[in-house]
Amino acid sequence: MSYEFWKLIHLSGMVLLVGNVTVTAIWKLYADRTRDPRIIGFAQRLVTITDWFFTFWGIVLLVVGGFAAAWMAGMDPLRDDWLVWSEVQFVIAGMIWLFLLVPIQVRQARMARGFADGGAIPDVYFRLGRRWIVWGLVATVPLVGAMWSMIAKS
């Protein structure tokens, strides 16, 4: 398979990852603002579903395509500075996602199952939602930095 094929896989993964992160945050924020338990419960369920379908597979495509494209082009993804810097930023974003965002999502999903049929929404749900948005924005910064490193090849 050619460099162009692997680059397409890599870029497709980036589109899935960044696109889902951005869109999910927007519609979850708007769903939470309604304070309607049914809408919020549905939106929270979709956060989990879209993370598995788009974020997870976006990460897989991004990593596999990126490393394969680099090797096909004769680069060393573990030594070329601009590639390493991009990988470090990607890992930082991943650590924030894995250790901060996912646990918040799991807690919110469990709560949402309890109120999705019209029950009362606990205040802690909204506190966690604010944390999720803030840390999601923080995690997006290194993703954008990694994209810039790839584009600029600094």
Side-chain angles (χ1 to χ4, degrees):
M1 291 190 216
S2 70
Y3 166 77
E4 288 79 14
F5 170 80
W6 290 112
K7 188 174 180 181
L8 174 65
I9 296 299
H10 178 66
L11 292 173
S12 297
M14 194 64 178
V15 168
L16 284 174
L17 173 62
V18 175
N20 188 58
V21 165
T22 304
V23 170
T24 300
I26 291 168
W27 54 254
K28 183 184 178 335
L29 183 64
Y30 277 89
D32 284 356
R33 287 179 56 178
T34 69
R35 297 204 172 253
D36 182 322
R38 287 177 182 92
I39 292 172
I40 293 171
F42 180 73
Q44 190 61 50
R45 186 168 155 263
L46 286 180
V47 168
T48 303
I49 291 169
T50 59
D51 266 357
W52 279 110
F53 281 111
F54 299 112
T55 303
F56 176 78
W57 290 107
I59 291 167
V60 170
L61 293 175
L62 189 137
V63 171
V64 170
F67 275 86
W71 284 316
M72 292 292 293
M75 297 178 237
D76 186 344
L78 302 175
R79 296 223 171 137
D80 289 355
D81 289 342
W82 66 274
L83 285 171
V84 171
W85 179 236
S86 296
E87 293 160 13
V88 166
Q89 292 176 92
F90 183 72
V91 168
I92 289 168
M95 299 301 264
I96 294 168
W97 183 70
L98 188 61
F99 293 110
L100 294 170
L101 295 172
V102 169
I104 290 171
Q105 282 178 220
V106 168
R107 285 186 65 197
Q108 285 192 300
R110 287 182 181 146
M111 283 185 242
R113 281 193 296 273
F115 64 70
D117 290 329
I121 304 171
D123 288 337
V124 68
Y125 177 87
F126 293 109
R127 282 195 300 275
L128 288 170
R130 286 188 294 276
R131 254 190 238 149
W132 186 82
I133 289 294
V134 168
W135 282 108
L137 290 170
V138 170
T140 303
V141 171
L143 278 181
V144 171
M147 281 193 313
W148 175 250
S149 295
M150 290 291 183
I151 292 166
K153 295 182 181 173
S154 44

